[in-house]
Amino acid sequence: MFSSVWNFVKRHKKKFIVTGAVVGGVYFLGKYAQKKLRELQEREAAEYIAQARRQFHFESNQRTCNMTVLSMLPPLREAIVTQLNSESLTALLKTKPANKLEIWEDLKIVSFTRSIVAVYSTCMLVVLLRIQLNILGGYLYLDNSAGKSAATPLAPPDVQQQYLSSVQHLLGDGLTGLMTVVKKAVQNSLGSMSLKHSLSLLELEQQLSWIRAEVEAGSQRPLCWYMLADDESALAEQACGLTESDLITVRLLNETRDMLESPDLSTVLNACLNRGFSRLLDNLAEFFRPPPGDSGKCITDTVLSVVSLPLAKIIPIINGQINTICSEAPSHLVQDLLMNDQVKEFAANVYESFSTPQELQK
């Protein structure tokens, strides 16, 4: 019996060898596949965790942006009111001076100028801080991801403070320059208009459109100039005498200017301004209601084009709008800007660009 088995094995020896090799190969191939599958699963899990961590960091960063904007609104309002002080003109009118008409004319220009400047500067503040804090947020994410292995932090604490302090340009020289341009446009549009002249809401909207056109298209400076100073150019030219922190700050400022000068930013800022002036008109519309006897009428564009107010009555209404636009509590305008889809998408793109390691961007 054993001899017959042995003879069978000898006759089919090659087949047994081949079969054994195949079985062994399949076994080791299966082990290799299992190893690769496990590595793939571990890598996917690590990527998912990293993506979740970055998403959490991004969302937290946006909340910081919102809170920072709200904290900057009171000093912005104070800066506008200080330079465009209509309250002093109102106080003079109460004394019944001889040059009453002249003071009213000044009040007309100041009132329109400061409310229009409030819309522009609030929109600019939202956009600028969105850019700055998402550039910083992206670099901080990379610094935290690198941990102690990072030779030089991309955004050290002293650089963060120095970089964010550049927003003071918008509240200082930038705001002053913006006021000059807006005041000139207001003067050209409303300067010769009599205080007794009546305007409907639609006519007032047209006046605001003309003023916007002169400010945005007629000015020699782009709107981004009012948001960020050119000081970093001078610093860059003297780079040999700057500290390492100064050089990092210069780099951040240059990156910010690149963002401010991008076509995408122009689109986003224009969307914010459209919403801002739309909200301003919504606020003014409350004062252009039909008389009580006509309360049954539907408030349509036709009605709003018929209901009109003398310019002298519109002045105190427009003058008080700054308290609504730049209020400590989130106004409808500020909420609209913070929740604007284009602003949020732009912020996400900025964060994505600066939170991606350079080797992955190549």
Side-chain angles (χ1 to χ4, degrees):
M1 177 181 176
F2 288 106
S3 60
S4 61
V5 172
W6 175 249
N7 291 332
F8 176 82
V9 171
K10 285 196 295 182
R11 285 198 306 271
H12 299 280
K13 180 173 63 174
K14 292 182 178 180
K15 293 181 180 179
F16 278 111
I17 293 174
V18 172
T19 301
V22 170
V23 172
V26 170
Y27 174 79
F28 286 111
L29 183 61
K31 286 290 187 180
Y32 177 79
Q34 288 179 351
K35 179 183 177 183
K36 287 299 180 183
L37 179 60
R38 187 166 56 252
E39 290 176 353
L40 177 62
Q41 291 173 336
E42 291 174 352
R43 185 164 61 251
E44 288 179 344
E47 290 175 355
Y48 175 80
I49 293 172
Q51 185 63 32
R53 184 183 296 117
R54 185 159 70 160
Q55 181 64 28
F56 177 81
H57 187 264
F58 169 73
E59 292 173 355
S60 175
N61 197 54
Q62 302 323 295
R63 290 191 290 272
T64 301
C65 287
N66 295 343
M67 296 304 296
T68 305
V69 168
L70 294 177
S71 70
M72 293 298 296
L73 287 175
L76 175 62
R77 184 182 68 242
E78 183 179 354
I80 296 173
V81 170
T82 298
Q83 296 194 55
L84 295 170
N85 189 350
S86 62
E87 285 72 22
S88 61
L89 296 174
T90 303
L92 278 176
L93 287 173
K94 292 179 180 179
T95 64
K96 299 180 179 181
N99 61 339
K100 181 179 178 180
L101 182 58
E102 181 183 344
I103 296 174
W104 264 105
E105 289 294 335
D106 289 343
L107 182 61
K108 173 180 67 176
I109 302 302
V110 170
S111 298
F112 274 88
T113 299
R114 77 176 193 171
S115 289
I116 293 171
V117 166
V119 174
Y120 271 108
S121 56
T122 299
C123 293
M124 290 176 178
L125 181 67
V126 169
V127 171
L128 176 60
L129 288 176
R130 268 289 189 274
I131 292 174
Q132 288 191 301
L133 289 173
N134 277 289
I135 289 177
L136 271 185
Y139 281 146
L140 288 174
Y141 174 79
L142 291 178
D143 285 343
N144 292 335
S145 299
K148 295 181 179 180
S149 63
T152 303
L154 296 169
D158 57 332
V159 169
Q160 296 175 39
Q161 184 175 0
Q162 187 176 1
Y163 171 58
L164 290 176
S165 67
S166 63
V167 75
Q168 293 301 320
H169 173 77
L170 177 57
L171 276 66
D173 292 343
L175 189 64
T176 301
L178 179 62
M179 288 176 180
T180 301
V181 172
V182 171
K183 190 173 185 178
K184 180 182 177 183
V186 170
Q187 183 69 50
N188 292 339
S189 180
L190 300 172
S192 60
M193 187 175 293
S194 170
L195 295 171
K196 297 179 181 180
H197 183 82
S198 292
L199 290 171
S200 68
L201 187 65
L202 294 182
E203 289 171 332
L204 188 56
E205 181 181 11
Q206 185 61 62
Q207 293 292 329
L208 291 175
S209 296
W210 289 336
I211 293 169
R212 279 193 64 184
E214 183 173 342
V215 171
E216 296 169 34
S219 175
Q220 296 179 349
R221 289 171 171 166
L223 292 180
C224 65
W225 183 90
Y226 306 109
M227 301 163 70
L228 191 67
D230 289 324
D231 294 348
E232 71 274 11
S233 299
L235 286 174
E237 293 174 0
Q238 305 170 2
C240 57
L242 299 180
T243 65
E244 184 176 355
S245 294
D246 291 334
L247 293 175
I248 297 175
T249 303
V250 169
R251 189 195 74 226
L252 291 175
L253 291 171
N254 286 331
E255 289 169 340
T256 303
R257 182 162 295 283
D258 288 342
M259 289 290 173
L260 289 174
E261 293 176 350
S262 70
D264 289 343
L265 185 279
S266 179
T267 301
V268 171
L269 181 56
N270 189 59
C272 290
L273 291 173
N274 289 341
R275 190 63 196 142
F277 282 100
S278 177
R279 272 295 180 186
L280 176 60
L281 286 166
D282 288 345
N283 294 343
L284 297 177
E286 296 298 320
F287 300 91
F288 284 80
R289 297 287 180 179
D294 298 331
S295 58
K297 292 183 179 181
C298 178
I299 306 300
T300 63
D301 286 348
T302 303
V303 174
L304 293 178
S305 66
V306 173
V307 177
S308 60
L309 293 174
L311 186 55
K313 287 191 175 182
I314 296 175
I315 290 173
I317 298 171
I318 194 78
N319 184 57
Q321 291 304 306
I322 189 172
N323 297 316
T324 301
I325 296 169
C326 301
S327 61
E328 288 89 343
S331 65
H332 290 301
L333 167 58
V334 174
Q335 288 178 342
D336 287 348
L337 297 179
L338 296 179
M339 300 305 295
N340 183 280
D341 288 338
Q342 287 178 279
V343 173
K344 291 162 72 174
E345 182 180 356
F346 183 73
N349 290 337
V350 173
Y351 183 87
E352 177 75 19
S353 299
F354 290 92
S355 64
T356 302
Q358 290 186 354
E359 59 269 17
L360 297 181
Q361 296 180 4
K362 296 178 181 178

